[in-house]
Amino acid sequence: MSGNIELLGTILAAARAEDRAALIAYLPAGFPTVDGGIEAVKAVIAGGADVVEIGLPHSDPVLDGPVIQTADDIALRGGVRIADVMRTVREAYEATGVPILVMTYWNPIDRYGVERFTAELAEAGGAGCILPDLPVQESALWREHAEKHGLATVFVVAPSSQDARLATITAAGSGFVYAASLMGVTGTRASVGAQAQELVGRTRATTDLPVCVGLGVSNAGQAAEVAGFADGVIVGSAFVKAMLDAPDEAAGLDAVRSLAGELAQGVRKR
């Protein structure tokens, strides 16, 4: 079975045709439980998310701040496995028809086996992977199998990336480019900053791929600001925090559905 890279492209193109940015939501698999995590993904989609990233919980998440680290710890203590990540992708995709990607560090894939991981992700209906710590120059094996299975390879660029480096990264990627709005880890912030807009402009000069901005967006105003210059707005910590702060799982689902609705309005006010 082939993965859903084409669906991802269709959805991002549809958002552009509507003169808006896409809303991309991130939630970790297995948080607060595997079943609860699947319901949370359905809730953010019901609220208005166009694309969802499923985080593969990792014991050393170098890009993630304390909020997502806390959720990862809960998932790992609950015994989450790669099979649960695949189940989350499958059930979320089958229930909604929305493109679902996995965001993961390289070590779990390397240990699991690249061919096995890509084949299972494609079979589950996944659209691709975001790989924040896989160097482009070491990515040939991954890209070979991802392309074979119809999966996007989304690389992360940062404000520190030089123009020549941006060109190398974007030439190797597919699906979209993940532009980190600032140097640092994930988390909600008071402002997204001018660095993000400059980075998007420099990245667009090297590629026709959509450029989506993550790190720091947590409310409708920030989503509207980023939507003014990016093809997609990626929100993770704000959703996870809403789940963590809720008194119970039902309240958490209501909270992320409501937040997705507010952010979906924000990306339409670019």
Side-chain angles (χ1 to χ4, degrees):
M1 177 176 175
S2 182
N4 273 311
I5 185 173
E6 290 187 6
L7 174 64
L8 175 64
T10 298
I11 293 298
L12 293 174
R16 178 180 288 184
E18 294 173 12
D19 193 31
R20 67 175 179 88
L23 174 59
I24 303 175
Y26 166 95
L27 287 165
F31 168 73
T33 61
V34 176
D35 288 342
I38 293 168
E39 292 307 311
V41 175
K42 294 178 185 176
V44 296
I45 293 169
D50 298 291
V51 178
V52 175
E53 304 172 8
I54 303 296
L56 195 161
H58 188 48
S59 56
D60 186 26
V62 293
L63 186 70
D64 295 311
V67 171
I68 291 176
Q69 285 186 24
T70 298
D72 277 3
D73 286 344
I74 291 169
L76 290 167
R77 286 201 305 270
V80 70
R81 296 288 182 266
I82 288 179
D84 300 310
V85 177
M86 298 300 179
R87 181 187 155 211
T88 301
V89 172
R90 177 182 291 105
E91 294 194 15
Y93 170 66
E94 288 179 351
T96 67
V98 163
I100 311 288
L101 299 103
V102 170
M103 184 164 185
T104 179
Y105 297 97
W106 179 245
N107 183 256
I109 295 178
D110 192 35
R111 292 175 61 185
Y112 196 72
V114 176
E115 168 61 21
R116 180 184 177 194
F117 190 94
T118 51
E120 290 184 7
L121 182 56
E123 192 275 329
C129 262
I130 300 159
L131 301 159
D133 67 339
L134 177 63
V136 171
Q137 63 270 24
E138 298 173 17
S139 68
L141 179 65
W142 164 266
R143 287 187 285 125
E144 174 191 341
H145 288 288
E147 185 174 350
K148 180 171 77 171
H149 290 290
L151 298 169
T153 297
V154 179
F155 288 115
V156 178
V157 298
S160 60
S161 302
Q162 299 298 312
D163 290 350
R165 179 68 177 163
L166 287 176
T168 299
I169 293 170
T170 58
S174 56
F176 63 90
V177 181
Y178 187 126
S181 65
L182 39 74
M183 301 303 295
V185 298
T186 58
T188 60
R189 289 176 171 81
S191 65
V192 179
Q195 281 186 315
Q197 186 166 359
E198 181 196 13
L199 176 59
V200 169
R202 291 196 297 120
T203 304
R204 280 200 177 129
T206 71
T207 184
D208 291 328
L209 289 173
V211 183
C212 304
V213 170
L215 274 67
V217 177
S218 61
N219 58 51
Q222 291 172 334
E225 176 191 355
V226 173
F229 58 80
D231 299 295
V233 179
I234 303 169
V235 181
S237 294
F239 285 120
V240 176
K241 188 174 188 301
M243 294 282 288
L244 286 169
D245 290 348
D248 55 50
E249 188 175 306
L253 296 178
D254 286 342
V256 295
R257 187 183 300 108
S258 176
L259 177 58
E262 294 169 14
L263 293 164
Q265 288 185 320
V267 300
R268 287 165 170 80
K269 293 178 180 175
R270 57 195 311 176

